Amino acid sequence: MSTSAITPVPFGRRVKRIMADRPLIPLTILLVILVVILQILRPGIVNERWIANTIKFAIPLAILAGCQTMTMLTGGIDLSVGTVATMSAFIMATQIVSQDPAVAFLLAMMPAVLIGLVNGIGVGVFRVHPLIMTLGTSLIGTGCLQVYQRTVIASGAKIPDFLAWLGTGVTSGFPNALLLFVPLAALIVFTLARTGFGRLLYAVGDNERATRLSGVQYWQVITALYITSSVLAGITGLLYIGLIKAPSLSLAEPLVLPSVAAAVIGGTSIFGGRGGYTGTIIGALILTVLTTLLTILQMPEGARRILFGLIVLFVTAAYLRIVEDR
């Protein structure tokens, strides 16, 4: 009786399977490698204080990347999140001077809800491409913010104490921002994995036509999605201004491209239907550590943006190759 030899699986194919089936493993390994390189280049930098500061700056990026993760699951993208975060932060800082904190918060979140509603209707009802729609609302929001800034220039701005405490404070070695981020992250993960709304996001991104034929109201799903994304972006702006403590008309704009990169690195497909928020969180940590590494290497901001763009292209191409080979 003859036995056929078992053909060993090539190493490259095994790596691809791991990346496809368990993306958190290579992402965690990459994060550890970056931390080790950082420690080698600057011995002693990796300590409790550095870890706390890294988490502080990774959290706003991770929340914005959560917006991108949810929209990318449907095959879209939200380029307005930076503008929404900036508007909410700037309005909060200027309204808190003369308004009750609760009133100032409501005023700060109003543009977020409005922009999210407009994005949802534009994409879901009028079928405008998400890239064009969110870019348009981003430009309109920036213009409105510049007009608003002229009306409050005399009254000045103030960073609320509770936002400063939340953004920069540390309690027992843990950043206070975790009090906001952990529930938000848990809610996003639960929503995507365990709720009908989350399953609809995956279904729309995987096969929109089949989802429509099954009776799903596409425009309702998309409208709810973009409103949720904008509200999360508004919350990010309030947290970020507490961290930066300097309101400006471009506060959160530099986070837009890294938020897309974090979602892509975390395994979310820009073509929709595949991905998750846990990987996005690790992607945000990777980019934050990478930013520290590039700062030590004295790489200018322009070069960092080029690198982030190359990361998005490279990782997208890698995941596409994995999907084709499966």
Side-chain angles (χ1 to χ4, degrees):
M1 184 176 67
S2 61
T3 58
S4 58
I6 299 176
T7 304
V9 179
F11 176 76
R13 185 172 292 275
R14 291 202 302 268
V15 172
K16 289 179 180 180
R17 286 181 179 177
I18 293 175
M19 289 184 65
D21 299 331
R22 299 181 181 86
L24 296 184
I25 295 177
L27 288 175
T28 303
I29 293 174
L30 176 59
L31 177 60
V32 172
I33 291 175
L34 289 175
V35 173
V36 171
I37 293 175
L38 189 61
Q39 176 67 16
I40 293 175
L41 293 177
R42 186 70 62 84
I45 190 175
V46 180
N47 51 39
E48 181 178 319
R49 181 178 178 182
W50 176 84
I51 293 174
N53 286 331
T54 299
I55 293 175
K56 284 181 192 177
F57 282 93
I59 285 175
L61 176 59
I63 300 176
L64 282 190
C67 302
Q68 303 295 0
T69 298
M70 291 188 293
T71 53
M72 287 167 62
L73 286 176
T74 65
I77 195 169
D78 193 345
L79 296 182
S80 66
V81 291
T83 298
V84 170
T86 300
M87 292 181 73
S88 295
F90 194 86
I91 292 173
M92 184 69 178
T94 52
Q95 289 296 320
I96 197 70
V97 176
S98 57
Q99 300 286 350
D100 181 81
V103 175
F105 173 77
L106 292 176
L107 292 173
M109 295 304 296
M110 283 177 60
V113 176
L114 180 60
I115 290 178
L117 180 61
V118 173
N119 283 337
I121 293 175
V123 176
V125 177
F126 295 102
R127 309 293 296 170
V128 181
H129 193 283
L131 182 68
I132 303 301
M133 189 68 215
T134 57
L135 177 60
T137 53
S138 175
L139 295 173
I140 292 172
T142 300
C144 292
L145 186 59
Q146 291 176 349
V147 173
Y148 169 79
Q149 187 259 351
R150 295 179 182 178
T151 66
V152 296
I153 193 170
S155 60
K158 175 186 175 183
I159 308 301
D161 293 336
F162 67 91
L163 289 182
W165 177 86
L166 189 64
T168 61
V170 176
T171 302
S172 300
F174 295 94
N176 295 337
L178 287 173
L179 295 174
L180 172 65
F181 177 69
V182 171
L184 277 180
L187 180 61
I188 294 174
V189 172
F190 177 80
T191 298
L192 294 179
R194 300 292 182 180
T195 68
F197 178 67
R199 288 191 288 271
L200 286 176
L201 295 182
Y202 283 98
V204 168
D206 187 53
N207 193 324
E208 179 188 330
R209 184 177 181 183
T211 305
R212 288 174 176 274
L213 293 176
S214 66
V216 174
Q217 295 294 327
Y218 172 79
W219 72 271
Q220 293 179 359
V221 175
I222 295 300
T223 301
L225 166 64
Y226 280 94
I227 291 177
T228 302
S229 177
S230 284
V231 169
L232 286 175
I235 293 173
T236 303
L238 300 183
L239 176 63
Y240 200 52
I241 198 174
L243 177 62
I244 301 299
K245 294 184 178 180
S248 70
L249 298 181
S250 60
L251 177 70
E253 292 295 341
L255 296 180
V256 175
L257 178 57
S259 70
V260 175
V264 173
I265 290 173
T268 301
S269 171
I270 61 174
F271 302 104
R274 182 172 58 83
Y277 188 51
T278 306
T280 297
I281 296 174
I282 300 179
L285 286 170
I286 288 174
L287 289 182
T288 304
V289 174
L290 181 61
T291 299
T292 304
L293 185 61
L294 297 180
T295 300
I296 290 178
L297 296 176
Q298 298 182 344
M299 183 173 289
E301 179 64 24
R304 296 182 196 181
R305 288 179 173 269
I306 293 173
L307 179 61
F308 286 151
L310 291 175
I311 288 173
V312 172
L313 293 175
F314 174 77
V315 176
T316 301
Y319 278 120
L320 282 175
R321 182 66 180 273
I322 291 172
V323 171
E324 291 175 355
D325 290 346
R326 294 188 71 179

